[in-house]
Amino acid sequence: PRLRTSAQRPSPALCLPGLDSSISYRLRELLPKGIKSAIGEGEGTVSWWHEGLELPGTVLQRAGIRLPDLNPMQTVLMVLTAQ
């Protein structure tokens, strides 16, 4: 676990190797039913967070995506679905 705030802001893009370049993927936060996201709208957030994001596999592999900056001891679960 991360115990301190990173000196690097924003966090670097996360690349997802091994995806099929010929299809698109939808990425969203995985939450239990009825639970609201703990990721706020402040500094360090990303515009796509609450709606999810759909991108080609090649973009996710090569350029990656920027995730929101998290506080120490904070984590999120994500689900990636082929479209």
Side-chain angles (χ1 to χ4, degrees):
R2 188 163 111 185
L3 303 175
R4 295 185 277 177
T5 301
S6 172
Q8 183 176 357
R9 294 234 181 207
S11 299
L14 173 68
C15 294
L16 303 172
L19 300 178
D20 186 335
S21 298
S22 66
I23 62 174
S24 290
Y25 292 86
R26 178 154 182 76
L27 181 69
R28 64 175 179 82
E29 183 178 20
L30 179 62
L31 293 167
K33 187 174 183 173
I35 301 297
K36 199 173 162 188
S37 179
I39 305 300
E41 298 292 335
E43 187 177 329
T45 60
V46 290
S47 61
W48 61 267
W49 187 255
H50 295 291
E51 294 81 35
L53 179 69
E54 187 171 328
L55 289 171
T58 190
V59 172
L60 293 169
Q61 290 183 89
R62 295 181 184 164
I65 53 159
R66 187 172 166 269
L67 297 174
D69 292 330
L70 301 176
N71 294 320
M73 303 294 287
Q74 185 179 25
T75 190
V76 295
L77 295 175
M78 306 293 296
V79 62
L80 183 71
T81 309
Q83 298 297 296

